[in-house]
Amino acid sequence: MTLAAATSLECGDVIRIAAAVIFNDAGHVLLVRKRGTKFFMQPGGKIEPDETPLGALARELREELRLEIDRDASLYLGKFSAEAANENGLMVEADAFETPLRGPIAAAAEIEEIIWVDPFGPLGLPLAPLSRDHIMPVARSRRDTANGTQR
């Protein structure tokens, strides 16, 4: 479904989220899997009514990965829409940001598994539609073009 179609749904049918593209030194992208689910996705989460997308991302990454981000170094990648992976019949609308990895991370809150994947490699794991169809293609592009060099 396109973003225009998703935004035409009733407010209750669209979950607004912020999502992160985080690379490690090897150029791999961070994916997470929430407890009780099977799909891997970008870290991030729901945007509360009083939050900006970047503010929500900072809060979610702190809660779920014990990661503090540098908001000034985060790059807005765009707004993307897809079927929600874990909530049948709903759509997610994501503001996505590339944010630098600053220090160690650890699974916390509802995160059960953390993995680093080569965005160009055969993933062979269940990806959330948003990650599979939108975010990972952007991550491939970013890895090749960030600062004119490959990460």
Side-chain angles (χ1 to χ4, degrees):
M1 181 175 285
T2 65
L3 179 59
T7 55
S8 70
L9 295 172
E10 293 179 6
C11 291
D13 294 337
V14 177
I15 303 166
R16 291 188 58 235
I17 66 169
V21 173
I22 302 172
F23 291 100
N24 65 13
D25 290 339
H28 294 164
V29 175
L30 178 66
L31 296 176
V32 300
R33 186 177 56 78
K34 294 182 179 185
R35 190 170 292 107
T37 68
K38 69 176 186 176
F39 292 104
F40 286 89
M41 61 189 64
Q42 264 55 51
K46 294 177 183 170
I47 302 169
E48 298 296 332
D50 62 337
E51 289 181 308
T52 65
L54 190 54
L57 185 64
R59 176 185 51 77
E60 290 283 351
L61 294 178
R62 185 179 327 103
E63 291 172 1
E64 296 182 348
L65 299 173
R66 307 285 187 240
L67 177 66
E68 295 293 332
I69 66 168
D70 180 349
R71 293 181 193 204
D72 292 333
S74 296
L75 175 69
Y76 184 69
L77 299 174
K79 188 178 293 276
F80 305 95
S81 182
E83 283 183 59
N86 299 311
E87 300 185 48
N88 290 335
L90 298 180
M91 299 290 294
V92 291
E93 181 182 280
D95 286 288
F97 297 85
E98 180 179 344
T99 191
L101 179 61
R102 299 180 60 201
I105 59 171
E110 70 254 20
I111 301 302
E112 186 165 327
E113 190 173 356
I114 297 170
I115 61 171
W116 293 95
V117 299
D118 180 349
F120 290 99
L123 298 179
L125 52 107
L127 287 180
L130 180 73
S131 293
R132 181 192 65 225
D133 299 337
H134 300 289
I135 307 292
M136 291 304 282
V138 171
R140 287 190 287 274
S141 172
R142 289 295 306 151
R143 193 179 94 169
D144 275 350
T145 61
N147 299 324
T149 60
Q150 187 167 0
R151 293 180 176 266

